[in-house]
Amino acid sequence: MAQTAHGVGGLPFDTSRRVWPPEFNVLIALVIVVAAFEILGRLIVGDSFLFNTRENVSGIFNQQRLEIIILQVSIVGIIAIGVTQVIITGGIDLSSGSVVGATAMIAMSFAQVAIVNGNPNPKAIFPEQGWLDLPVIVPILVGLGCGLIAGLINGSLIAYTRIPPFIATLGMMVAARGLSRWWSKGNPISFPTDSFAAIGKGLMPVVIFISLAILFQLILTYTKYGKHCYAIGSNEEAARTTGVKVEQHKVLVYVIAGMLASVAALVLSSKNLTAQAGMGAMYELDAIAMAVIGGVSLRGGRGSIFGTVLGALIFGVIISGFTFMRLDAYYQEMVKGVIIVGAVVLDQWRQRARAMRG
């Protein structure tokens, strides 16, 4: 018989029903994935995946590989922070990758220099208006405005017209991608100012990702906003009965998700020193996969930003591990597809297991 102890209000507590936080299981999965690549690396490649094996480099760990892993997932991870909040409320956002592309094109237009190698900028979008060499705050505000508008449209359609989130954000996905191609007639936009380029320089994407993750983890955990997200995702009608302004809150959640996608666009275009219409393709699916791997339930009401960060790290380790194993890029794309499907299957299994525990 399971041991019992006094629980809330003196009621017996069955210790056999104690469960680990879902983030702990994700952390164990991360350790297992890293260990698997470490073993395979030793056996097949003859090198260590995680540890430093070069005599002329100090340090225990392979710092370069660790930086590459976190850099690979930091930009999509920023999107995943917003997607996590959307999924917790019971929604979905398929438009974030296209919003990245549109935002990158528009914001870069306001971040261009006037002179390149002593000649007028050949890629300038607004030379006649003189909108060149602008302060860095201008493209940042323009970019955030793009994300705000996209999120406002998504949220309003979902909250007030009752269109399913899948359809509303699918429409935005197509429209935003078309906008990104129309903006410069499909031509890339390049030559940003030094101040704009500094946004994505070095490990700045990682710093931005971690800072936003900590901020929104605290917001979801300790604020009324976070409590309302979980309440709506768990039972929307019950949340409405208790006084939660469901429609307004949904709009706010999608606005935040859109603005985080625009932050990712600013970082990506700054890091690459150029903006292209195809930027952000499939990022929305990667972001959803990171969230679900991290324990966020597609049915809503469960999940955390911390779990999503761990899910992003698992995603990054797997991609970096396959590169380390010298597998071709198209194999990596196949595996990413398997990961996305597997993440959804895992979520369904978790839901059934939780329902059986009752």
Side-chain angles (χ1 to χ4, degrees), residues 86-220:
V86 169
I87 297 176
I88 287 174
T89 61
I92 199 73
D93 189 355
L94 299 179
S95 68
S96 51
S98 295
V99 171
V100 167
T103 300
M105 296 291 285
I106 296 172
M108 181 65 81
S109 302
F110 294 88
Q112 292 181 292
V113 296
I115 303 298
V116 178
N117 297 326
N119 298 309
N121 187 345
K123 298 289 187 179
I125 300 298
F126 299 116
E128 296 179 358
Q129 292 83 354
W131 296 345
L132 299 168
D133 290 318
L134 297 174
V136 68
I137 190 64
V138 174
I140 290 176
L141 291 178
V142 169
L144 293 176
C146 292
L148 186 152
I149 293 172
L152 186 62
I153 294 173
N154 281 337
S156 298
L157 287 173
I158 293 165
Y160 296 111
T161 70
R162 302 300 177 90
I163 295 176
F166 179 89
I167 300 300
T169 59
L170 180 64
M172 177 58 69
M173 178 183 75
V174 176
R177 188 62 68 189
L179 174 62
S180 66
R181 294 192 177 101
W182 167 83
W183 185 257
S184 66
K185 304 300 184 287
N187 297 315
I189 304 174
S190 307
F191 306 118
T193 61
D194 292 338
S195 55
F196 185 80
I199 297 174
K201 189 175 182 179
L203 292 178
M204 277 302 296
V206 179
V207 174
I208 295 172
F209 171 43
I210 297 301
S211 299
L212 288 172
I214 293 172
L215 174 63
F216 280 99
Q217 176 64 42
L218 293 174
I219 289 173
L220 281 180

Side-chain angles (χ1 to χ4, degrees), residues 3-125:
Q3 295 181 353
T4 60
H6 289 294
V8 178
L11 296 174
F13 172 67
D14 188 352
T15 56
S16 66
R17 297 179 66 86
R18 182 188 293 128
V19 295
W20 294 107
E23 293 82 5
F24 184 78
N25 296 328
V26 181
L27 181 60
I28 292 177
L30 175 61
V31 173
I32 292 174
V33 171
V34 171
F37 280 117
E38 181 67 26
I39 294 171
L40 290 172
R42 301 273 185 174
L43 294 177
I44 300 175
V45 182
D47 194 5
S48 173
F49 174 69
L50 183 63
F51 298 99
N52 177 39
T53 57
R54 292 178 291 179
E55 296 181 356
N56 60 339
V57 178
S58 60
I60 299 176
F61 295 102
N62 189 326
Q63 183 178 350
Q64 183 179 12
R65 177 164 290 119
L66 293 175
E67 290 179 358
I68 290 174
I69 290 173
I70 191 66
L71 274 171
Q72 281 179 329
V73 301
S74 59
I75 294 176
V76 181
I78 294 172
I79 300 172
I81 294 172
V83 168
T84 296
Q85 297 170 68
V86 169
I87 297 176
I88 287 174
T89 61
I92 199 73
D93 189 355
L94 299 179
S95 68
S96 51
S98 295
V99 171
V100 167
T103 300
M105 296 291 285
I106 296 172
M108 181 65 81
S109 302
F110 294 88
Q112 292 181 292
V113 296
I115 303 298
V116 178
N117 297 326
N119 298 309
N121 187 345
K123 298 289 187 179
I125 300 298

Side-chain angles (χ1 to χ4, degrees), residues 296-350:
V296 180
S297 172
L298 286 172
R299 297 186 181 181
R302 295 180 183 273
S304 70
I305 303 297
F306 178 59
T308 296
V309 172
L310 292 176
L313 290 176
I314 291 177
F315 211 83
V317 167
I318 291 174
I319 300 303
S320 180
F322 284 128
T323 302
F324 169 68
M325 299 296 295
R326 300 184 178 89
L327 289 178
D328 292 325
Y330 44 82
Y331 289 125
Q332 297 180 26
E333 293 297 322
M334 295 178 190
V335 171
K336 284 173 67 175
V338 172
I339 292 172
I340 292 170
V341 175
V344 177
V345 172
L346 178 63
D347 175 63
Q348 297 299 315
W349 178 83
R350 281 197 301 250

